Amino acid sequence: MSGLVQQAAGIGTEAPALSPASAALAAADARHRWFVLGARVVVGIAFLLLWHVASGNWIDTLLISSPEAVAGRLWRWLIDGTLWFHLSITLLATVLGFAIGSAVGFSTGLLFGRFNTLADIFDPYISALYSIPKIALAPLFIIWFGIGIESKVAVSAAIVFLVIFLNTYAGVREVNPLYINTTRIMGGGQWAVLRHVIVPSAAAWVITGLKVSVPYALVGTVIGEFMSANRGIGFLIAQATGLFNTTSVYAGIVVLAVVGAVINTGLKHFESWVLRWRP
Amino acid sequence: MSISARGVRKLYVTRRRETLALDRVDLDIATGEFVAFVGPSGCGKSTLMNMVAGILAPSEGTILHDGRPVTGINQRVGYMTQADAVLPWRTARENVELPLRLRGVGRAARAAKAAETLAAVGLTGFDNAFPAELSGGMRKRVALAQLLAYGPGTLLLDEPFGALDAQLKLVMQELLLRIWEKAGQTVIFVTHDLGEAVTLAQRVVVFSARPGRIKLIEPIALPRTGRDPFRTRFAPEFERAYSRLWEALAPEIAREEEVVA
Ligand SMILES: Nc1ncnc2c1ncn2[C@@H]1O[C@H](COP(=O)(O)OP(=O)(O)OP(=O)(O)O)[C@@H](O)[C@H]1O
Ligand SMILES: [Mg+2]
């Protein structure tokens, strides 16, 4: 029903998009996008070529392997199931850590943002917590949770928690009190204010936090896997390092890079959808 | 719904200064009455509105709404604040629908009501625009459409038409008058435009320069209903009221300038 209304109204507002001026603007925009895309591909190919030429000619293959060897290794991993065997566990730990850390961080951030006294009391402890390198917690978590997936989830969750907590808190403190007051006057209770004012207003901060913490979540998991594990991309890299198998090390790194990029791209789309109201 | 101020005083205390915004304000507004506030900038008009809405508490005295003291957020008023309060993350339509949604009005009824009131304020076709894509005057009209959509019994309008051009302003005044004649809300209307105050209100309250006190309450002798914003200005009653108000207001504005200088 409201979809229909939306469509009907959309005709009214979007009609000017067909005017010559905005068509020209769109065309210029598209040209620019294609140029950037083309340049990116060129840069990527140049890098691979350089790597290929350097390998064995300027630098020992043992140190930098070669692009074709890495590609071959990735292909083999893909078809013999090694890739999925290790990647699935790394992904699971990352996603779980990310989900738990951001859920807990978001709710405590909201809570602290709404109750200033709480924030005042905990302020020095939070600063202290923030300044320790979170990676230093990894050995501790391995002692607590063992070498299974739990310790990796804990490392990522701890890192993500802090980032999301601080960003949510900052976002809630920035909410314009005028919006809260007018929403309450028009009949909104605490819950409605939270849902229609505080959360959307803090969304920009929260999403920035999410974007920042994706690589952290991945790093947390992989560090945990480096230290002690028997499965996972981090384990794969650590094992290959022990055997001076640089080809596998690079292949593992490529996998991590791709995973990070894919998650970040997803978040970027999510961000532009949530913050579509921004000019 | 009646509104009364009894011995209201408001002192703002900040670290840097104390400001006495309002002092000894006594005022009774009857149910269904249309009252305009005029006064020099900074005399406490918005402060008084905020106290009626329950956003601020008076330092002394009380505000009564239907005989009951206002002690917290007052959900029986609809308040169009001086600063933009439409939520930037909701489209025009979603903003208009919000109070209806908070009252549990169904989707279809909400959409219909929003379309109707947005059309009434001349915003057809902008339903799906976000506030950032609208002009200041358009955002004001979204806020007005929102009030009209959910229809509170008391309207607090703080310079609602200040950002509109002269012609659109007349159109909006006409719209407001017709709606008020039909629904009979209690209206407090803050404006810097004396002509607008006389055109719309049954009584105009003139505030002195800060600290704001009530200097004059002028009943407007124009008929209660059927006023035409395009023509009332040519009525002799309009002229008489206008000059009496101006006599009261002019020295206050001069005083305000002295304070600034
Ligand atoms: N939150 C506040 N803290 C301190 N002083 C304030 C605050 N709000 C308003 N004031 C002061 O109170 C006085 C009255 O302000 P108010 O906004 O009510 O004036 P106004 O009559 O609405 O003016 P205008 O016509 O310009 O909107 C001003 O001198 C202002 O400086
Ligand atoms: Mg004001």
Side-chain angles (χ1 to χ4, degrees), chain A residues 1-2 5-6 9-10 12-13 178-179 181-189 192 195-197 200-201 276-279, chain B residues 53 55 73-75 77 79 81 83-90 98-99 101-103 107 125 127-128 130 132 146 150:
Chain A
M1 168 63 224
S2 84
V5 173
Q6 215 161 4
T13 39
L178 177 67
Y179 297 147
N181 285 329
T182 48
T183 303
R184 289 182 62 199
I185 289 170
M186 68 178 74
R195 166 143 186 231
H196 296 298
V197 182
S201 172
R276 66 196 179 285
W277 52 272
R278 293 199 150 183
Chain B
I55 295 173
I73 291 293
N74 183 356
Q75 297 195 330
V77 302
Y79 189 7
T81 52
D84 256 333
V86 290
L87 300 176
W89 44 85
R90 300 179 81 87
L98 181 58
R101 191 172 159 175
L102 295 174
R103 280 165 178 68
R107 218 173 236 277
D127 314 47
N128 290 330
F130 285 102
Q146 186 185 50
Y150 84 100

Side-chain angles (χ1 to χ4, degrees), chain B residues 43-129:
Chain B
C43 73
K45 303 178 296 292
S46 299
T47 300
L48 188 54
M49 297 282 257
N50 282 339
M51 291 193 288
V52 175
I55 295 173
L56 286 178
S59 310
E60 270 172 44
T62 39
I63 306 276
L64 300 173
H65 192 168
D66 287 335
R68 273 183 285 164
V70 175
T71 52
I73 291 293
N74 183 356
Q75 297 195 330
R76 288 172 306 151
V77 302
Y79 189 7
M80 186 169 157
T81 52
Q82 186 170 6
D84 256 333
V86 290
L87 300 176
W89 44 85
R90 300 179 81 87
T91 62
R93 181 170 59 85
E94 288 168 341
N95 265 293
V96 174
E97 283 186 15
L98 181 58
L100 299 171
R101 191 172 159 175
L102 295 174
R103 280 165 178 68
V105 176
R107 218 173 236 277
R110 271 188 342 236
K113 193 78 199 171
E116 180 195 322
T117 54
L118 281 170
V121 298
L123 287 178
T124 313
F126 290 96
D127 314 47
N128 290 330

Side-chain angles (χ1 to χ4, degrees), chain B residues 1-6 27-31 52 63-67 70 74 77 154-156 186-188 203:
Chain B
M1 288 185 254
S2 71
I3 294 167
S4 308
R6 295 280 143 76
L27 181 66
D28 282 294
I29 297 169
T31 304
V52 175
I63 306 276
L64 300 173
H65 192 168
D66 287 335
V70 175
N74 183 356
V77 302
T154 301
L155 299 179
L156 309 179
T186 308
V187 184
I188 305 182
R203 284 194 296 161

Side-chain angles (χ1 to χ4, degrees), chain B:
Chain B
M1 288 185 254
S2 71
I3 294 167
S4 308
R6 295 280 143 76
V8 167
R9 178 184 161 92
K10 181 68 197 183
L11 182 68
Y12 284 109
V13 183
T14 59
R15 236 168 294 154
R16 264 173 286 145
R17 66 172 72 84
E18 292 188 0
T19 312
L20 185 57
L22 282 172
D23 197 18
R24 296 195 305 246
V25 172
D26 285 287
L27 181 66
D28 282 294
I29 297 169
T31 304
E33 190 178 13
F34 198 130
V35 171
F37 288 178
V38 298
S41 178
C43 73
K45 303 178 296 292
S46 299
T47 300
L48 188 54
M49 297 282 257
N50 282 339
M51 291 193 288
V52 175
I55 295 173
L56 286 178
S59 310
E60 270 172 44
T62 39
I63 306 276
L64 300 173
H65 192 168
D66 287 335
R68 273 183 285 164
V70 175
T71 52
I73 291 293
N74 183 356
Q75 297 195 330
R76 288 172 306 151
V77 302
Y79 189 7
M80 186 169 157
T81 52
Q82 186 170 6
D84 256 333
V86 290
L87 300 176
W89 44 85
R90 300 179 81 87
T91 62
R93 181 170 59 85
E94 288 168 341
N95 265 293
V96 174
E97 283 186 15
L98 181 58
L100 299 171
R101 191 172 159 175
L102 295 174
R103 280 165 178 68
V105 176
R107 218 173 236 277
R110 271 188 342 236
K113 193 78 199 171
E116 180 195 322
T117 54
L118 281 170
V121 298
L123 287 178
T124 313
F126 290 96
D127 314 47
N128 290 330
F130 285 102
E133 301 161 338
L134 300 174
S135 73
M138 288 161 100
R139 283 197 290 271
K140 287 283 177 196
R141 284 184 280 155
V142 172
L144 183 64
Q146 186 185 50
L147 285 192
L148 300 182
Y150 84 100
T154 301
L155 299 179
L156 309 179
L157 308 174
D158 199 342
E159 298 188 32
F161 306 147
L164 305 182
D165 64 71
Q167 286 74 32
L168 189 55
K169 198 172 184 175
L170 292 177
V171 173
M172 289 293 122
Q173 289 171 357
E174 163 97 26
L175 172 73
L176 180 63
L177 278 176
R178 297 294 89 84
I179 284 165
W180 172 68
E181 283 169 11
K182 213 158 60 181
Q185 301 100 326
T186 308
V187 184
I188 305 182
F189 190 104
V190 175
T191 178
H192 281 288
D193 177 347
L194 270 187
E196 181 172 53
V198 176
T199 302
L200 297 175
Q202 294 175 287
R203 284 194 296 161
V204 178
V205 180
V206 180
F207 286 85
S208 70
R210 195 179 53 239
R213 297 193 178 112
I214 292 177
K215 183 170 185 192
L216 173 75
I217 299 182
E218 175 76 11
I220 307 300
L222 293 162
R224 179 185 182 276
T225 57
R227 289 190 198 178
D228 178 352
F230 303 91
R231 287 182 226 294
T232 44
R233 68 181 70 195
F234 306 114
E237 295 90 341
F238 180 98
E239 226 168 281
R240 260 199 306 277
Y242 192 102
S243 43
R244 278 181 55 85
L245 288 169
W246 179 242
E247 268 164 41
L249 188 58
E252 298 305 323
I253 291 172
R255 204 148 75 77
E256 170 69 16
E257 274 162 6
E258 267 166 45
V259 174
V260 172

